Every structure is written in C-alpha cells, then in structure tokens.
Amino acid sequence: MSSPQYARIKVALRQRIETGALCPGDRVPSENQLVGEFGVSRMTARRALLELAEEGLLERTQGLGTFVADRRPVSSITQIRNIAEEIHQRGHCHACRVLALEAVLADATLAARMGLAEGEPLFHSVLVHLENDQALQYESRHVVAQLAPAYLEQDLARVTPSAYLSAVAPLTEADQTVEAVLPSPAQAEALDIGPDQPCLKITRRTFSHRGVVSLAELVHPGDRYRLGSHIDS
Amino acid sequence: MSSPQYARIKVALRQRIETGALCPGDRVPSENQLVGEFGVSRMTARRALLELAEEGLLERTQGLGTFVADRRPVSSITQIRNIAEEIHQRGHCHACRVLALEAVLADATLAARMGLAEGEPLFHSVLVHLENDQALQYESRHVVAQLAPAYLEQDLARVTPSAYLSAVAPLTEADQTVEAVLPSPAQAEALDIGPDQPCLKITRRTFSHRGVVSLAELVHPGDRYRLGSHIDS
DNA sequence: AATGCTATCTTGTATATACAGGTATATACA
DNA sequence: TGTATATACCTGTATATACAAGATAGCATT
C-alpha cells in the first residue's frame, strides 16, 4: 500500500525546490529526463509535473520546458491549510511562532454548522500565528472530541491539521469557503489591527468517512492570494 | 485546428447539466460509456471527467461512479470571470442587468501594474452587475486599446471577457488574486452598501502571447466562495 | 548580414492496454 | 434468514507508444 509513483516524484521535486537545489527560474528536468531518473513512464512523470504546475510551483510552456515558478507573489488560496505550514515553505520558519490563546472542551453550540448532533463534545482552540512578532493569522478551530481524544494533550503551537487528522482516518477531505469580514474585537486585538481593517476569512470543514472532523476559521488581515487561472473555451 | 476531444466531451457534459438533462445526484456516464459514446479512448474520456470534477461540477468515487455534484452552495472562486456569467449559469438571467457607469479612453497611469509602456492608451469601463435591482458586483476594467479597437462600440452591458478577448488572440490566460478591502466611496455608492461593509476584491490580469490584454477589478460585497479542496499526502 | 530551413528538444493530445482496489448485486451455502 | 462468495462494474494507477505543435540553435542560402 505504498504511495503512488507520481506522488514520490512530486515529493522529490518539491524538496529540490525547498532546499534551493532548484531556484525560481531554473529549468526542471523534462518529462523524458524524469523517465530516466525515476524509472517511470512519461505519463507518470508528466502527472507529477502537471500537478505541481497546477499548484503554482512550476510553470510549463509547450516547446520550452518546465521551470520553477518565480517566487509566488502570494500563496495559492486553494492550497491554504495553515499559515505555519505556509511560512515554513517560504523558508523563514525561524521567525515563526504560534500562540495558543485558548484550548478547552466546549459544547457543540455550532453543531448545526458542522452537521453534528446537538451537544456533541468539541475541543475548541484559538491560535495566533506570528512571524517576526507580527500576527499573520487568527485561527479558531473546533474538533470533534471523540475523534481526536488526545487533542488537548498535543502541543497546539506545533500541531498542524494533518497531524491530528491523520490520527482520525486515512481518508480526509476539506470544504473551504472565503469571504471578506471585519474582525471581531477579540480578533482585532489578537492580530493587532484596527476594527476597520477588512480581513479574509476562510472557513474550512474537514471531514472523513466518519463525518465532520473539524471546523476551522482562519482570519488574515492584509493578505492577498493567488487564484487559479482556468480559461476554458 | 479543432479543439481537443476532451474539451468537446466537457462541453457536452456541461450542457447536459445546464439544460437539466443531468441533475444533481444523477449518475454521469462512466468512463467506458463515454468511450463508446464519443469514440475516444478511456484516458481521454477520463480527462474530461477529472477536469469537471476539479471544477466541482462532478464528484467521483472509486468503485461507485461519477455523479453530478449537489448544487454548489457557492461559486468556485477559481472559476469566477464575470458575475453576469455566473448568474446566467444559476438560471436567473432574466433578473440580471448590467449598468455601464463609465466607458472612456484613459491613459495608462496604471501602466506599471499592467506591465505596459507608460502612456499606452487604455479603455476604461466601470460596470455594475445587478440581480433583482440589487448590486452584486462592481467591475472596473482596463483594456489595451490597441488590442481591442472596437471595445467602446460594443454593448458593454452584454459583453463578457471572453467576447473581447477572443477578438485579440486564440491563447489567453489570466492571473487572479483575491483580497479583502473596504469599498471606495464610489464603489459603496454603486453597490448601495455602507462604507464599512467588507468586500472581496478580485484582481484579474488577462494576457495573451502579445502581453497583457486587460486588468479587471471585481468588487463584491457579502459573497462567499467555495475554494478547492486539495489534501495531499 | 539577413533570411529561411532543418534537426532536435520540449510539452500537448490521444490511443490501447493492464492490473489494483472499491462497491454493489446476485448467487450459493449454512 | 443470514452469511459468505463470486461477479460485474467503476475509478485509480501505470506503461508503452504515436503523432502534433511550439521553441531554439545551427546551418545553408540568398
């Protein structure tokens, strides 16, 4: 039950970019070169390149080749999971901290929004992600207590969604929406912004085959995100 | 120089969904059925299904099949091009109007942002899209005059980006970013909202092989958009 | 020097094929 | 009735192959 080969190639290429072995503008091995290097068929190598291009990490031009995308001006909003992870990928993890403002067992007053039975016990944590002492994200996360019993014992400042999710089920998916909001007083204070500073709020419902696992609200001031660029027909 | 076969299949399937021949929850022809119906290989049929699923129009489950996704609660933000088009797809086009507030030949004071030579002549139009007399989107669009000479002669209330873009070049792409903003006074007035109502602003740079074609800013109050849901590894 | 051609590398599209693994239904058995 | 088992169908992964089409460098011709 090993991971697919195209995933292996994606990981390898991502590493070369993160470690600096491949820099923005650099040419990435061509499909045929990857065939030789990884011993796969061209279509498999191609899939790895296509998916990385879809994420915005690579840029491909017919006839020319595949290149590491210019330092993405902004993150791709379809990929956002956790500012901490994002920052880590940008390479200044050293200046990144996470503050856990709150972590308690709450009752499911928001059961309806999560599609749960009323009264289902939930863990609620509020995190603030900082870089160079500047707050970048306010994160409010509700997790179904039954599915992640050790949630509160973890170091919430370090745990990423994938960490506690992988403990729940092999198969997870997420539903995300964005909207523009004004920060609540608590959010404005935690982010050190004025009450008039508009923010992007991303609401993410994560679920496995057992149902909803968590509901997270990510609020960021001032960030700007790249969107996909489909132009069909 | 016909369009690819997978695109043909996508169009056909999209039509069946838009016309109601296929409803949410309905089973879509399987890969092998499409092979028989369109006379293509399974991989080609597969590509059509995969891309429609990526857009959120279909849902696929291994072993089960492919189904028309439940009426998407909100639009996919990666697909936004024009609220008018969006509304048309939702099926209440009758209540939709577009007001052209302004349409002039402007000079390229924003040349830098578009990557153009200073002084390059641009058309500037400001449109407001309404549904049931309620403003849904404020659109400010700058178009390189040289590449769309007849731009001002068109019925701006009807023209979609694809209309004037197709006149320019066969190959176009777009770059999009989102951010949260407070509306400018003019925007607030046009949208009939208060100055404190946070809005999503989508900035879209469209370009062809000849360079940047247009720069559009779409401002919507109160809308909420679906995001893609990648969960890798 | 400028033009045009060709060889070669790249990605894009398409086909045919094979097997793995998930899902549901029908069948046979206890 | 309830439980296995076999089967058919579906999507997921992977290979091998072919040709189309864009980009580039070098060479030959004008």
Side-chain angles (χ1 to χ4, degrees):
Chain A
M1 198 61 219
S2 59
S3 65
Q5 310 214 52
Y6 68 82
R8 261 183 43 223
I9 302 177
K10 283 176 71 176
V11 170
L13 291 179
R14 229 194 290 262
Q15 265 183 356
R16 289 184 207 177
I17 294 171
E18 284 173 11
T19 60
L22 285 173
C23 299
D26 281 2
R27 175 176 227 127
V28 168
S30 74
E31 295 175 359
N32 280 320
Q33 288 173 326
L34 292 177
V35 166
E37 184 176 344
F38 289 89
V40 297
S41 75
R42 187 188 148 205
M43 284 313 192
T44 302
R46 178 178 176 75
R47 176 162 181 181
L49 292 175
L50 283 176
E51 294 194 0
L52 290 175
E54 178 88 10
E55 293 178 22
L57 209 63
L58 303 180
E59 284 173 3
R60 326 189 75 211
T61 314
Q62 182 177 4
L64 240 183
T66 305
F67 302 85
V68 179
D70 260 351
R71 176 185 227 54
R72 334 186 219 178
V74 283
S75 309
S76 168
I77 207 167
T78 62
Q79 297 294 327
I80 294 173
R81 300 176 62 187
N82 188 304
I83 282 277
E85 287 182 35
E86 279 292 322
I87 292 169
H88 176 71
Q89 287 185 358
R90 290 190 210 164
H92 10 113
C93 189
H94 53 284
C96 168
R97 285 190 302 135
V98 179
L99 284 182
L101 299 186
E102 192 183 352
V104 297
L105 181 63
D107 27 35
T109 48
L110 77 177
R113 277 176 71 191
M114 294 182 69
L116 295 173
E118 188 120 8
E120 174 81 36
L122 297 176
F123 291 125
H124 180 213
S125 57
V126 174
L127 309 175
V128 176
H129 303 260
L130 307 107
E131 183 186 18
N132 291 323
D133 289 325
Q134 193 190 349
L136 291 184
Q137 177 180 260
Y138 179 95
E139 174 174 4
S140 164
R141 192 196 292 158
H142 288 261
V143 181
V144 173
Q146 199 182 354
L147 297 181
Y151 182 71
L152 290 184
E153 273 79 55
Q154 297 174 311
D155 179 1
L156 290 176
R158 304 219 159 274
V159 69
T160 61
S162 38
Y164 66 83
L165 293 180
S166 66
V168 173
L171 253 176
T172 55
E173 286 183 6
D175 227 53
Q176 298 182 112
T177 59
V178 251
E179 58 191 318
V181 298
L182 289 179
S184 69
Q187 290 165 356
E189 191 196 335
L191 292 169
D192 193 26
I193 57 176
D196 296 337
Q197 167 76 45
C199 296
L200 279 181
K201 178 161 114 183
I202 295 170
T203 305
R204 179 168 53 222
R205 255 185 357 180
T206 309
F207 47 93
S208 72
H209 65 284
R210 299 187 54 179
V212 177
V213 174
S214 73
L215 181 77
E217 292 187 352
L218 317 178
V219 177
H220 335 188
D223 250 342
R224 184 175 194 163
Y225 292 98
R226 187 173 62 79
L227 294 179
S229 63
H230 289 275
I231 291 231
D232 291 338
S233 70
Chain B
M1 196 61 221
S2 59
S3 63
Q5 309 215 52
Y6 68 83
R8 261 183 43 223
I9 302 177
K10 283 175 71 175
V11 170
L13 291 177
R14 229 194 290 262
Q15 266 183 356
R16 289 185 207 177
I17 294 172
E18 285 173 12
T19 61
L22 286 173
C23 300
D26 281 2
R27 176 175 225 127
V28 168
S30 74
E31 297 176 358
N32 280 320
Q33 287 172 327
L34 292 177
V35 166
E37 183 176 344
F38 289 89
V40 297
S41 76
R42 187 188 147 205
M43 283 314 189
T44 301
R46 178 178 177 74
R47 176 163 180 180
L49 292 175
L50 283 177
E51 293 193 1
L52 289 174
E54 177 87 11
E55 292 178 22
L57 208 63
L58 303 179
E59 283 172 2
R60 326 190 74 210
T61 313
Q62 181 177 4
L64 241 181
T66 305
F67 302 84
V68 180
D70 261 349
R71 177 182 226 58
R72 336 187 217 176
V74 283
S75 310
S76 168
I77 205 169
T78 63
Q79 298 293 329
I80 293 174
R81 301 175 60 186
N82 188 303
I83 282 277
E85 287 182 36
E86 280 292 321
I87 291 169
H88 176 71
Q89 288 186 358
R90 289 191 213 163
H92 7 114
C93 188
H94 53 283
C96 169
R97 286 190 302 135
V98 179
L99 284 182
L101 298 186
E102 192 183 352
V104 298
L105 182 62
D107 26 36
T109 48
L110 75 177
R113 276 176 71 191
M114 294 182 70
L116 296 173
E118 188 120 9
E120 174 81 37
L122 297 176
F123 291 125
H124 180 214
S125 58
V126 174
L127 308 175
V128 177
H129 303 260
L130 306 107
E131 183 187 19
N132 292 323
D133 290 324
Q134 193 190 350
L136 291 183
Q137 179 181 257
Y138 178 95
E139 174 174 3
S140 164
R141 193 196 290 158
H142 288 262
V143 181
V144 174
Q146 201 182 353
L147 297 180
Y151 183 70
L152 290 185
E153 272 79 56
Q154 297 175 309
D155 180 1
L156 290 176
R158 303 220 160 273
V159 68
T160 60
S162 39
Y164 66 83
L165 293 181
S166 67
V168 174
L171 254 177
T172 55
E173 285 183 6
D175 228 50
Q176 298 183 112
T177 59
V178 251
E179 58 192 317
V181 298
L182 289 179
S184 70
Q187 290 166 356
E189 191 196 336
L191 292 169
D192 192 27
I193 57 175
D196 295 335
Q197 167 76 46
C199 297
L200 279 183
K201 178 161 116 183
I202 296 169
T203 305
R204 179 168 54 221
R205 256 186 355 180
T206 308
F207 47 93
S208 72
H209 65 286
R210 300 186 52 179
V212 176
V213 174
S214 73
L215 181 76
E217 291 187 352
L218 317 177
V219 178
H220 333 191
D223 249 344
R224 185 172 191 165
Y225 292 98
R226 187 174 63 79
L227 295 179
S229 63
H230 289 277
I231 291 235
D232 290 338
S233 73

